[in-house]
Amino acid sequence: MFGRKKKTDADETPVEFDVADSNTDTDEFPALGTEDRGPYDATDFEDAEPTEGRLDLGSVLVPVPDGGQIQVEMSTDGSPQAVHLVTQYGRITVAVYAAPKSPGQWREVASDLAESLRGDNAQVSVEGGPWGRELHAVTPNADLRFIGVDGYRWMIRCVVAGPAGTAGVDSDLARVAREVLRETVVRRGDEPHPVRTPLPVVLPQVLADQLVAAQQQQVLAQQQAAAAQAEAQRQEAIAAVQAQQAKDAMPPEQRPGGSGSAMQQIERDS
């Protein structure tokens, strides 16, 4: 429906490679089967509009899985930093980076990622997928999978994140992520970008408007909560003052915990 090429049946039987060899320069992680679909370059579409059925994020167009939701991550300056696809199995994040004309950047990035993840005490394995090597990282609280694809002057890095035990090579989450990548389109553009620089994310106007409305609603809710808390504190202070004033207005012998002067106590006792 989305791409120009037709899918053929491919053998995607998972293949796992020895982790001990994952840092060498001679190991190979061939693609599994015949991957004849995307990710595509926008220039692959001569007579078709690649935005149909895809979420247009400027530098990349991604399909949203059935039942999936969109989650936008903002940077400190208020610009969109990442767009996550949240599925019933976990979260999928597709990002595009500037790369040289020749492929090979993902191999270097994967090596750096593996080293960084191991430095954070994650258990990392390097496995074969439809586009070659994939990283699987197991942490105490979550599973992560990194899928990379080299293109012409661009590189895709797909981050798959889910609860422990959900990001295995043949998991439902990995399957959905690969389906997303097969229909992803990269709009690299002609602008020069340093290698490994993430290409900018631009939100569709509808999504941007929804985000602004959600932020305004969140700010309003915070303001209302702060006002309610301030009013509650004010009422507590007023009640405390009124209680003290009522206590001060009472005769000494009627004050809570008080029994009047010593002479008054003697007179009462006699």
Side-chain angles (χ1 to χ4, degrees), residues 144-157:
L144 301 173
R145 177 166 293 274
F146 299 86
I147 306 173
V149 184
D150 286 315
Y152 179 71
R153 298 178 65 222
W154 53 259
M155 182 205 77
I156 283 181
R157 187 184 75 171

Side-chain angles (χ1 to χ4, degrees), residues 196-236:
R196 294 200 184 192
T197 300
L199 300 185
V201 174
V202 180
L203 298 180
Q205 190 59 49
V206 173
L207 186 57
D209 292 343
Q210 292 176 351
L211 182 63
V212 170
Q215 290 176 331
Q216 291 175 343
Q217 185 176 3
Q218 183 179 12
V219 170
L220 179 60
Q222 292 173 344
Q223 292 174 343
Q224 291 175 341
Q229 183 179 6
E231 178 61 20
Q233 293 175 344
R234 189 178 74 86
Q235 293 296 336
E236 290 178 0

Side-chain angles (χ1 to χ4, degrees), residues 22-215:
S22 61
N23 291 326
T24 66
D25 294 330
T26 58
D27 61 334
E28 295 295 335
F29 294 84
L32 305 179
T34 304
E35 189 60 40
D36 71 335
R37 288 198 285 169
Y40 300 102
D41 192 283
T43 57
D44 293 337
F45 296 80
E46 297 177 356
D47 302 321
E49 178 53 60
T51 56
E52 181 182 355
R54 296 181 175 91
L55 177 65
D56 188 347
L57 299 175
S59 58
V60 62
L61 295 83
V62 295
V64 180
D66 292 341
Q69 297 181 343
I70 301 170
Q71 184 181 77
V72 181
E73 181 179 343
M74 306 299 290
S75 63
T76 54
D77 62 1
S79 61
Q81 180 172 301
V83 177
H84 310 291
L85 305 178
V86 182
T87 74
Q88 60 178 318
Y89 307 112
R91 195 175 73 176
I92 301 168
T93 308
V94 179
V96 184
Y97 296 80
K101 295 180 180 180
S102 58
Q105 179 165 296
W106 169 241
R107 183 187 183 95
E108 300 175 1
V109 171
S111 178
D112 294 343
L113 274 173
E115 182 179 355
S116 176
L117 290 165
R118 291 187 179 108
D120 292 335
N121 298 321
Q123 297 179 8
V124 182
S125 58
V126 185
E127 301 165 345
W131 297 276
R133 67 182 58 208
E134 298 179 0
L135 295 184
H136 181 212
V138 178
T139 69
N141 300 319
D143 269 18
L144 301 173
R145 177 166 293 274
F146 299 86
I147 306 173
V149 184
D150 286 315
Y152 179 71
R153 298 178 65 222
W154 53 259
M155 182 205 77
I156 283 181
R157 187 184 75 171
C158 176
V159 183
V160 180
T166 60
V169 67
D170 57 352
S171 64
D172 287 329
L173 181 55
R175 173 183 57 79
V176 174
R178 294 185 187 113
E179 283 300 317
V180 168
L181 284 178
R182 288 187 181 103
E183 297 297 348
T184 291
V185 178
V186 176
R187 189 188 285 130
R188 168 63 174 80
D190 297 328
E191 299 82 1
H193 295 282
V195 170
R196 294 200 184 192
T197 300
L199 300 185
V201 174
V202 180
L203 298 180
Q205 190 59 49
V206 173
L207 186 57
D209 292 343
Q210 292 176 351
L211 182 63
V212 170
Q215 290 176 331

